[in-house]
Amino acid sequence: MNKKKISKFLIGIPILILVLIIIILIGEPEREGISRGEAYKAAALLLTDRKGCQEAFDKAGDKYFQGEEGDVWYAKYMVYLWENGYLSWEENISGAALAEGYLTYQEAQSLAEKLAPQETIAVGVRHKKNDRIPADSWWEIYRQLRAVLDLEGLIEEKELYLYGTPDNIPSASAWTAYTSQGEYLFEGIGLDSYIDRKLKVLVKGGEMIALCSVLDDSVTYKNVWLVAGEDGMFQAHLGTVIRTFPLEDSLGEAEDLANQIADLSLKEGKLEKVTLKKEQIAGKTLSVTEDSIEIENYGSIPLDPDFKVYKLYGEFEEKQLSDILVGYDNQEFVVADGKICAALIVRAFDAGTIRVLLMNNNFQSIFHPSVTLSSEGGMFVHYGEEKTEIPAGAEVIINPTDKRLEEGRLIFTPVNGQYGISVNSITRSLGTPTYDGSIEIKKESEGLLIINELYLEDYLVKVVPSEMPDSYEKEALKAQAVCARTYAYQQIQSETYRQYGAHVDDSTRFQVYNNLEAGAKTEEAVWETYGKIIYYNDTPIEALYFSTSCGHTTDGSIWGSDPARYPYLDGCLLQADRGVLNLSTNKDFEAFIKNKDYPSYDMDYPMYRWETTVTNRQLEEEITAVGTILNISVIERGVGGIAKKIRIEGSDGVTTIEGEGQIRSNLGNSYMTVTRNDGSLMKNIQSLPSAYIAIENEGVDENNITTFRIYGGGYGHGVGMSQNGAQSMAKEGRVYEEILKFFFQGVEIKEFHSQGE
């Protein structure tokens, strides 16, 4: 090629490039923008939640939207921004026109500056200010704003499967998305075309802010419950919704899928495969952990990563792992590939039995170094598929090295039901305890567990005398029996010891069990109230009780709960008319607690009033954060005057202690001697008898020691039924129903009925 041609070629390259750039710029489609409504919603949710926006609209919406104009989804978010100065209000532009138009670079810049005035947010400078800003550019700005404004991380990215919207679920509420992560409102976001996809979304609480991306258009819904539909269709329970699917001939017959667990595989919303899981096993559940369930005769079986729990009796519900009850066989299990895919709760539990962890001699641990058992009538031991008989009176010693424990639990049952099983390796107040029902031994890394399974009523026979003296009035004992039964009912459904396969232990943490011999009157109290529990609005209550009141009980807020959750625990005077005193000030409470003769059902009991002293030196052994303690004062009281918060002033600062239990344990110590109302002394206690206290600073002595005198009343937490108050009421002739309805307002006492009846 000659020089002239080369020169023309080189000159032509820049021209060609310029032409190509012009063609690209002219021909390139405009990048998709974002509506102002979507952007304003996202901006408002950086600062508050949906409720906060709605409150702003309720107060000032009429200023910006007239009549039905305010019914649109974006109105509340825009009003919030206008009212708080993040948007400029232009009266001549309608809210609809503004919200439904595209956000511009200039508007994005202005909004970012007002949201985060101290920050430099990159918006983009190479574009005209009135050009629409592409959606991805806006979300990059939003990411920067989140880093500045969402310091608590309330806005989250979540990956989820979209089950449905009002587009495919006729019963759905407006703007409600049903997903594998629960329900979300998705106002202003186009989701309908993404059903049966895996999505990444941005959420705050129950509100979806943005659809970030589609992660997969192929989904498999694992371990769903199928039911028969109509006209060749079948239905699947996905979360809280029911989806109807057409069934191709190649996938089987609809009736063959009914009442089965299956995996459903879909591609771009079209059903491609149904994988049924038909193998089921049943048996008593012995323990539940986060990754396995132990089933009688099957051992411990791991859970599938997509494990589900379904309640099949009554109204269908998807439940949680925590709803599986240990000690009961009211659930069946679907198994595939060696894992439990689903638990099917097929009937209500009857609360007929309870499983109790037996603690060591000092009630300090649930673990035992070894266990010694015997039975006067002989006993069987079951392990794996083996069963052997132990002669009457013979002792069996089980150590952690016992080879039989490799098979799982050792289960001991009496040969003759008239004789229980004695645990000779532990001691209670009654001596060597003997237990009805069965005894199970389970090996854990910390030692051996002893679990006693027995009928609930037999358990109560040995709880009531350990909680209330057999010498008390029959009606008081009956009130105690009903409280204990109601409390046990709630604990059977708790999660405290489910990983070990138990409901409660036998200590004061729950209800003291088999510590004292049952008497005839105690047994009669249990059997004469057989099956009776306390209900509020047809729901069993939290049947709390304690030893002695100071003349006034408190409400359910004492442990930080909302008192509205426990309307039957309202707090009252222990007098016939059940009044309420205002004892919220220190002055009023001090006058009340120092009156040893204030009339009350509990007034004749030693712990009705008490007092003690404690020095700052003694307290400083536990309370170390403030240096030398100079003063202590109650700064918040609850119903009945109970201390809810105390202030401790010291040479190095000030601290507060909150909560009835924390106050009692921090102010109590082993040096303390409590003088009861009758002049008797109480020593060697680790915490104050109650938090119904008034504190007086008695000053500093020559050794620079400050002494605090504490005036108190009652013994226990002060919520629910006072046991000694119940005794006094019974002495006056009140029957147990009257006693319980006095302490628990608005309740009914009736025989237990299974859930779902």
Coordinates of all heavy atoms in Angstrom, one line a residue, residues 237-290:
H237 N -50.0 -26.7 49.7 CA -49.9 -25.7 50.8 C -48.5 -25.1 50.7 O -47.6 -25.8 51.0 CB -50.2 -26.3 52.1 CG -51.7 -26.6 52.3 ND1 -52.6 -25.7 52.9 CD2 -52.4 -27.7 52.1 CE1 -53.8 -26.2 52.9 NE2 -53.7 -27.5 52.5
L238 N -48.4 -23.8 50.4 CA -47.1 -23.1 50.3 C -47.2 -22.0 51.4 O -47.9 -21.0 51.1 CB -46.8 -22.6 49.0 CG -46.7 -23.6 47.8 CD1 -46.5 -22.9 46.5 CD2 -45.6 -24.6 48.1
G239 N -46.5 -22.2 52.5 CA -46.6 -21.1 53.5 C -48.0 -21.0 54.0 O -48.7 -22.0 54.4
T240 N -48.6 -19.8 53.9 CA -49.9 -19.6 54.4 C -51.0 -19.6 53.3 O -52.1 -19.3 53.5 CB -50.0 -18.2 55.1 OG1 -49.6 -17.2 54.2 CG2 -49.1 -18.2 56.3
V241 N -50.6 -20.0 52.0 CA -51.5 -19.9 50.9 C -51.7 -21.3 50.3 O -50.8 -22.2 50.5 CB -51.1 -18.9 49.8 CG1 -51.0 -17.5 50.4 CG2 -49.7 -19.3 49.2
I242 N -52.7 -21.5 49.6 CA -53.0 -22.7 48.9 C -52.9 -22.4 47.4 O -53.6 -21.5 46.9 CB -54.4 -23.3 49.2 CG1 -54.5 -23.6 50.7 CG2 -54.7 -24.6 48.4 CD1 -55.9 -24.0 51.1
R243 N -52.0 -23.1 46.7 CA -51.9 -23.0 45.2 C -52.6 -24.1 44.5 O -52.5 -25.3 45.0 CB -50.4 -22.9 44.9 CG -49.7 -21.7 45.3 CD -49.9 -20.5 44.3 NE -49.5 -20.9 43.0 CZ -48.2 -20.9 42.5 NH1 -47.2 -20.5 43.3 NH2 -47.9 -21.3 41.3
T244 N -53.2 -23.9 43.4 CA -53.8 -24.9 42.6 C -53.0 -25.1 41.3 O -52.6 -24.1 40.7 CB -55.3 -24.5 42.2 OG1 -56.0 -24.4 43.4 CG2 -55.9 -25.6 41.3
F245 N -52.6 -26.3 41.0 CA -51.8 -26.6 39.9 C -52.5 -27.6 38.9 O -53.2 -28.6 39.4 CB -50.5 -27.3 40.3 CG -49.6 -26.4 41.0 CD1 -49.6 -26.4 42.4 CD2 -48.7 -25.6 40.4 CE1 -48.7 -25.6 43.1 CE2 -47.8 -24.8 41.0 CZ -47.8 -24.7 42.4
P246 N -52.4 -27.4 37.6 CA -52.9 -28.4 36.7 C -52.0 -29.6 36.7 O -50.8 -29.4 36.9 CB -52.9 -27.6 35.3 CG -51.8 -26.6 35.5 CD -51.8 -26.2 36.9
L247 N -52.5 -30.7 36.4 CA -51.7 -31.9 36.4 C -51.6 -32.6 35.0 O -52.7 -33.1 34.5 CB -52.2 -32.9 37.4 CG -51.3 -34.1 37.8 CD1 -50.1 -33.6 38.5 CD2 -52.1 -35.0 38.8
E248 N -50.5 -32.6 34.4 CA -50.3 -33.3 33.2 C -50.4 -34.8 33.4 O -50.1 -35.3 34.4 CB -48.9 -32.9 32.6 CG -48.7 -31.4 32.3 CD -49.6 -30.9 31.2 OE1 -50.0 -31.7 30.4 OE2 -49.8 -29.7 31.2
D249 N -50.8 -35.5 32.3 CA -50.9 -37.0 32.4 C -49.6 -37.6 32.8 O -49.7 -38.6 33.6 CB -51.4 -37.6 31.1 CG -52.8 -37.1 30.7 OD1 -53.6 -36.7 31.7 OD2 -53.2 -37.2 29.5
S250 N -48.5 -37.1 32.4 CA -47.2 -37.7 32.7 C -46.9 -37.6 34.2 O -46.0 -38.3 34.6 CB -46.1 -37.1 31.9 OG -46.1 -35.7 32.2
L251 N -47.6 -36.8 34.9 CA -47.2 -36.6 36.3 C -48.1 -37.4 37.3 O -47.9 -37.3 38.5 CB -47.4 -35.1 36.7 CG -46.4 -34.1 35.9 CD1 -46.7 -32.7 36.3 CD2 -45.0 -34.5 36.1
G252 N -49.1 -38.1 36.7 CA -49.9 -39.0 37.6 C -51.3 -38.4 37.7 O -51.7 -37.5 37.0
E253 N -52.1 -39.1 38.6 CA -53.5 -38.7 38.8 C -53.6 -37.9 40.0 O -52.9 -38.1 41.0 CB -54.3 -40.0 39.0 CG -54.4 -40.9 37.8 CD -55.0 -40.2 36.6 OE1 -55.9 -39.4 36.8 OE2 -54.7 -40.5 35.4
A254 N -54.5 -36.9 40.0 CA -54.6 -36.0 41.1 C -54.9 -36.7 42.4 O -54.4 -36.3 43.5 CB -55.7 -34.9 40.8
E255 N -55.8 -37.7 42.4 CA -56.2 -38.4 43.6 C -55.0 -39.1 44.2 O -55.0 -39.4 45.4 CB -57.4 -39.3 43.4 CG -57.2 -40.4 42.3 CD -57.7 -39.9 41.0 OE1 -57.7 -38.7 40.7 OE2 -58.0 -40.8 40.1
D256 N -54.0 -39.5 43.4 CA -52.9 -40.2 43.9 C -51.9 -39.3 44.7 O -51.1 -39.8 45.5 CB -52.1 -40.9 42.8 CG -52.9 -42.0 42.1 OD1 -53.8 -42.5 42.7 OD2 -52.6 -42.2 40.9
L257 N -52.1 -38.0 44.5 CA -51.3 -37.0 45.2 C -51.9 -36.5 46.5 O -51.2 -35.9 47.3 CB -51.0 -35.8 44.3 CG -50.4 -36.1 42.9 CD1 -50.1 -34.8 42.2 CD2 -49.2 -37.0 42.9
A258 N -53.1 -36.8 46.7 CA -53.8 -36.3 47.9 C -53.2 -36.8 49.2 O -52.8 -37.9 49.3 CB -55.3 -36.7 47.8
N259 N -53.1 -35.8 50.1 CA -52.6 -36.1 51.5 C -51.2 -36.8 51.4 O -51.0 -37.8 52.1 CB -53.6 -37.0 52.2 CG -55.0 -36.4 52.3 OD1 -55.1 -35.2 52.5 ND2 -56.0 -37.2 52.0
Q260 N -50.3 -36.1 50.7 CA -49.0 -36.6 50.6 C -48.0 -35.4 50.7 O -48.3 -34.3 50.5 CB -48.7 -37.2 49.2 CG -49.6 -38.4 48.8 CD -49.1 -39.7 49.4 OE1 -48.1 -39.7 50.0 NE2 -49.9 -40.7 49.2
I261 N -46.8 -35.8 51.1 CA -45.7 -34.8 51.1 C -44.9 -35.0 49.8 O -44.7 -36.1 49.3 CB -44.7 -35.1 52.3 CG1 -45.4 -34.7 53.6 CG2 -43.4 -34.2 52.1 CD1 -45.7 -33.3 53.8
A262 N -44.6 -33.9 49.2 CA -43.9 -34.0 47.8 C -43.0 -32.8 47.6 O -43.1 -31.7 48.3 CB -45.0 -34.0 46.7
D263 N -42.1 -32.9 46.7 CA -41.3 -31.8 46.1 C -41.9 -31.4 44.8 O -42.2 -32.3 43.9 CB -39.9 -32.2 45.9 CG -39.1 -32.4 47.2 OD1 -39.6 -32.1 48.3 OD2 -38.0 -33.0 47.1
L264 N -42.2 -30.1 44.6 CA -42.7 -29.7 43.3 C -41.7 -28.9 42.5 O -41.1 -27.9 43.1 CB -44.0 -28.8 43.5 CG -45.1 -29.3 44.3 CD1 -46.3 -28.3 44.4 CD2 -45.6 -30.6 43.7
S265 N -41.3 -29.3 41.3 CA -40.3 -28.6 40.5 C -41.0 -27.9 39.4 O -41.8 -28.4 38.7 CB -39.3 -29.6 39.9 OG -38.7 -30.3 41.0
L266 N -40.6 -26.6 39.3 CA -41.2 -25.7 38.3 C -40.1 -25.0 37.5 O -39.1 -24.7 38.0 CB -42.2 -24.7 38.9 CG -43.4 -25.2 39.7 CD1 -43.1 -25.2 41.1 CD2 -44.6 -24.2 39.4
K267 N -40.4 -24.7 36.2 CA -39.5 -24.0 35.3 C -40.3 -22.9 34.7 O -41.4 -23.2 34.0 CB -38.9 -24.9 34.3 CG -38.1 -24.2 33.2 CD -36.8 -23.7 33.7 CE -35.9 -23.2 32.6 NZ -34.6 -22.7 33.1
E268 N -39.9 -21.6 34.9 CA -40.6 -20.5 34.4 C -42.1 -20.6 34.7 O -43.0 -20.2 33.9 CB -40.4 -20.3 32.9 CG -39.0 -20.1 32.5 CD -38.7 -19.9 31.0 OE1 -39.7 -20.3 30.3 OE2 -37.6 -19.5 30.6
G269 N -42.4 -21.0 35.9 CA -43.8 -21.1 36.4 C -44.6 -22.3 36.0 O -45.8 -22.4 36.4
K270 N -44.0 -23.2 35.2 CA -44.7 -24.4 34.7 C -44.3 -25.6 35.5 O -43.1 -25.8 35.7 CB -44.4 -24.6 33.2 CG -45.2 -25.7 32.6 CD -44.8 -25.9 31.1 CE -45.6 -26.9 30.4 NZ -46.0 -28.1 31.1
L271 N -45.2 -26.4 36.0 CA -45.0 -27.6 36.8 C -44.3 -28.6 35.9 O -44.9 -29.0 34.9 CB -46.2 -28.1 37.4 CG -46.1 -29.3 38.3 CD1 -45.3 -29.0 39.5 CD2 -47.5 -29.9 38.7
E272 N -43.1 -29.1 36.3 CA -42.4 -30.1 35.5 C -42.3 -31.5 36.1 O -42.2 -32.5 35.5 CB -41.0 -29.6 35.1 CG -41.0 -28.4 34.2 CD -39.7 -28.1 33.6 OE1 -38.7 -28.4 34.3 OE2 -39.6 -27.7 32.4
K273 N -42.3 -31.5 37.5 CA -42.1 -32.8 38.2 C -42.7 -32.7 39.6 O -42.7 -31.7 40.3 CB -40.6 -33.0 38.3 CG -40.2 -34.4 38.9 CD -38.7 -34.6 38.9 CE -38.3 -35.9 39.5 NZ -36.8 -36.1 39.5
V274 N -43.3 -33.9 40.0 CA -43.8 -34.0 41.3 C -43.1 -35.3 41.9 O -43.2 -36.4 41.4 CB -45.3 -34.3 41.3 CG1 -45.8 -34.5 42.8 CG2 -46.1 -33.1 40.7
T275 N -42.4 -35.1 43.0 CA -41.7 -36.2 43.7 C -42.3 -36.5 45.0 O -42.2 -35.7 46.0 CB -40.2 -35.8 43.9 OG1 -39.6 -35.4 42.7 CG2 -39.4 -37.0 44.5
L276 N -43.1 -37.6 45.1 CA -43.8 -37.9 46.3 C -42.8 -38.6 47.3 O -41.9 -39.3 47.0 CB -44.9 -38.9 46.0 CG -46.1 -38.4 45.1 CD1 -47.1 -39.5 44.8 CD2 -46.8 -37.2 45.8
K277 N -43.1 -38.3 48.6 CA -42.4 -38.9 49.7 C -43.4 -39.7 50.6 O -44.1 -39.1 51.4 CB -41.6 -37.8 50.5 CG -40.7 -37.1 49.5 CD -39.9 -36.0 50.3 CE -39.0 -35.3 49.3 NZ -38.2 -34.2 50.0
K278 N -43.4 -41.0 50.4 CA -44.5 -41.8 51.0 C -44.1 -42.5 52.3 O -45.0 -43.0 53.1 CB -45.0 -42.8 50.0 CG -45.7 -42.1 48.8 CD -46.3 -43.2 47.9 CE -47.1 -42.6 46.8 NZ -47.8 -43.6 46.0
E279 N -42.8 -42.6 52.6 CA -42.4 -43.4 53.8 C -42.7 -42.6 55.1 O -42.3 -41.5 55.2 CB -40.9 -43.7 53.7 CG -40.5 -44.6 54.9 CD -39.0 -44.9 54.9 OE1 -38.3 -44.5 54.0 OE2 -38.5 -45.5 55.9
Q280 N -43.5 -43.2 56.0 CA -43.8 -42.6 57.2 C -43.5 -43.5 58.4 O -43.6 -44.7 58.3 CB -45.3 -42.2 57.3 CG -45.7 -41.1 56.3 CD -47.1 -40.7 56.6 OE1 -47.7 -40.9 57.7 NE2 -47.7 -40.0 55.6
I281 N -43.0 -42.9 59.5 CA -42.8 -43.6 60.7 C -43.6 -42.9 61.9 O -43.9 -41.8 61.7 CB -41.3 -43.7 61.1 CG1 -40.7 -42.4 61.3 CG2 -40.6 -44.5 60.0 CD1 -39.3 -42.4 61.7
A282 N -43.8 -43.6 62.9 CA -44.6 -43.1 64.1 C -44.0 -43.6 65.4 O -43.4 -44.7 65.4 CB -46.1 -43.4 64.0
G283 N -44.1 -42.9 66.4 CA -43.7 -43.3 67.7 C -43.6 -42.1 68.6 O -43.6 -40.9 68.2
K284 N -43.4 -42.3 69.9 CA -43.2 -41.2 70.9 C -42.0 -40.4 70.6 O -40.9 -41.0 70.3 CB -43.2 -41.8 72.3 CG -43.1 -40.7 73.4 CD -42.7 -41.3 74.7 CE -43.7 -42.4 75.2 NZ -43.2 -42.9 76.5
T285 N -42.1 -39.1 70.6 CA -41.0 -38.2 70.4 C -40.2 -38.1 71.7 O -40.8 -37.8 72.7 CB -41.4 -36.8 70.0 OG1 -42.2 -36.9 68.8 CG2 -40.2 -35.9 69.7
L286 N -38.9 -38.5 71.7 CA -38.1 -38.5 72.9 C -37.3 -37.3 73.1 O -37.0 -36.9 74.2 CB -37.2 -39.7 72.9 CG -37.9 -41.1 72.9 CD1 -36.9 -42.2 72.9 CD2 -38.9 -41.2 74.1
S287 N -36.9 -36.6 72.0 CA -36.1 -35.4 72.1 C -36.2 -34.6 70.8 O -36.3 -35.3 69.8 CB -34.7 -35.6 72.6 OG -33.9 -36.2 71.6
V288 N -36.0 -33.3 70.9 CA -36.0 -32.5 69.7 C -34.8 -31.5 69.8 O -34.7 -30.8 70.7 CB -37.3 -31.7 69.5 CG1 -37.3 -30.9 68.2 CG2 -38.5 -32.7 69.4
T289 N -34.0 -31.5 68.8 CA -32.9 -30.5 68.7 C -33.1 -29.7 67.4 O -34.0 -30.0 66.6 CB -31.5 -31.1 68.7 OG1 -31.3 -31.9 67.5 CG2 -31.3 -32.0 69.9
E290 N -32.2 -28.8 67.1 CA -32.3 -27.9 65.9 C -32.1 -28.8 64.6 O -32.5 -28.4 63.6 CB -31.4 -26.8 66.0 CG -31.8 -25.7 67.0 CD -33.2 -25.2 66.8 OE1 -33.5 -24.8 65.6 OE2 -33.9 -25.1 67.8

